[in-house]
Amino acid sequence: MALTAEQKAARSNRIGSSDAPAILGLDRFRGAGDVYLDKRGELNDWDGNIATRRGTYLEPAILNWFDDTMGRKCVRDVMLLHPKHPDWKCANLDGCFHLGDAPTCDTITELVEVKTTIDDENWGEEGTDEVPERVLIQTAHQFSHAPNANICWVPVLMAKFGRFEWKLYSVGRNNDLVGAVDEETTKFIRDHVLTGTPPNEFSVSLEVAERIRRIPKKKIEVPAVVMSEWRRLKDACDAAEKDADQAKAALLAAMGDAEAAECAFGSITYFEQGRKGLDGKRLAMEMPDVAAKYATESRFRVMRFKAVKVEAPKVRSVEEAVGVGV
C-alpha cells in the first residue's frame, strides 16, 4: 500500500499490522528492536526497498484481480485507529467490505490483505488459511481493529517456477489469537516504547541500525568485545573474498579460451555483457548548465577502524636492569 503523508504520520508512533509479527519474533527481516527504535523516533526516514516498492506497484493490479474474482469491489486504502488504544495502534487495510455508508471499525465485515512473494514456502493449499505465521499475525492485528469482521481475504501474486500465479486464501477470525496479539502489542507500547526501555535481548537489523539518527561529533565508549567481534568477522570476510578471487582466477585459467565449462555437479558461463553509461566529466565540460541541473548528491556513512597507538616500552640499559649505577 502506498501510504499518504497523513497515514505515514499516523503510523510513525503507532503499532501497525506489519509491526506485530516483528514484535512477536515472527518476521525474518525485522525484530522487536527495529520496531522499538522506529516508534521511539530514533530512525531517519526510509523510502523502502525493492520488495516494498514491488508490493506497492503491484497492489492495485492484485486488487483488480481480487475484485474480478469476487464479483464485487472492495474499498481500498482504509486506515483504522484501535478502538481502545487509538493513540497506540492503527491498521492500514489494503481493502475491506463494509456495511453502511463508510468503512469504520464497527461497520467493516471483511478484510483484505494483499501479498506478493517470490517464495512459496509456508503457503499452503489455495482457498485455505494456510498462510505464513507472520501473515496470520498481521490479520490478527487487523481483526483487533474491526470487531465485527470475521474473515480476511489474502490475494497473493506468487512467482513460482518461472511464472506468476494468482492465489486467494481466507483467514477466519480467531478471537484467542486476536486477543493474544492485541495484548502483546499493547504491552510492547506500554512497557518499552513509552518508557524508553529497550526490549529484552535487544538487537536490530543492519538496515535499521544504519538509519539511526546520529549526533554530529558525538563520541562514546562501547564494549571492546562488540568492536573486536566486528573486526574479527570483517577480517574473515576480507580473507574469504581474497580466497574467492584466487579460486575464480584458477577456474578461468582452467577454462582456457572457452567461455563456458561444465563438471560433474554443474556448469558455468563467462559471457560478455555490456551496459550504457553517462560520461559525467565530459558532460560537465561541454554542457555545464545541464550537468548542474540534473546533478544529484547522495549522503552515506562509512565505517573505518583506527587502532589505538601503543607506545613501545622504553629499553633500559643492562646496568639499569640489574640495578647497577652507571
Side-chain angles (χ1 to χ4, degrees), residues 196-217:
T197 305
N200 297 332
E201 300 181 4
F202 179 76
S203 64
V204 297
S205 63
L206 177 60
E207 185 177 65
V208 168
E210 290 178 336
R211 290 173 51 210
I212 296 176
R213 290 196 180 99
R214 305 193 181 274
I215 301 174
K217 299 183 179 180

Side-chain angles (χ1 to χ4, degrees), residues 6 30 71 152-154 171 231 307 314:
E6 181 180 359
R30 301 168 69 223
C152 180
W153 300 102
V154 185
V171 178
R231 282 294 307 172
K314 182 179 179 181

Side-chain angles (χ1 to χ4, degrees), residues 23 33 36 50 66 69-70 93 98 104 114 116 171 194 212 225 239 252 261 265 267 281 289 308 310 312 319 322 324:
I23 292 172
Y36 170 79
I50 293 176
F66 172 74
T69 301
M70 298 294 289
L93 309 180
H98 64 89
T104 67
V114 172
T116 61
V171 178
L194 295 181
I212 296 176
V225 65
L252 290 174
F265 62 83
S267 61
K281 291 183 178 179
D289 294 340
V308 174
V310 180
E319 290 82 359
V322 298
V324 178

Side-chain angles (χ1 to χ4, degrees), residues 251-262:
L251 176 58
L252 290 174
M255 291 171 61
D257 60 359
E259 63 175 6
E262 60 183 4

Side-chain angles (χ1 to χ4, degrees), residues 148-184:
N148 295 316
N150 290 310
I151 189 170
C152 180
W153 300 102
V154 185
V156 184
L157 180 59
M158 185 179 297
K160 186 176 181 181
F161 303 122
R163 65 179 186 274
F164 289 107
E165 293 184 359
W166 302 93
K167 292 194 175 184
L168 181 60
Y169 296 83
S170 61
V171 178
R173 186 185 191 92
N174 181 326
N175 285 324
D176 291 337
L177 180 61
V178 172
V181 172
D182 199 26
E183 181 180 355
E184 288 300 316

Side-chain angles (χ1 to χ4, degrees), residues 21 50 53 154 226 236 261 278-279 281 294 300 303 311 323-324:
I50 293 176
R53 287 192 288 271
V154 185
V226 177
L278 182 67
D279 189 337
K281 291 183 178 179
Y294 293 101
F300 55 91
M303 182 172 286
E311 293 185 5
V324 178

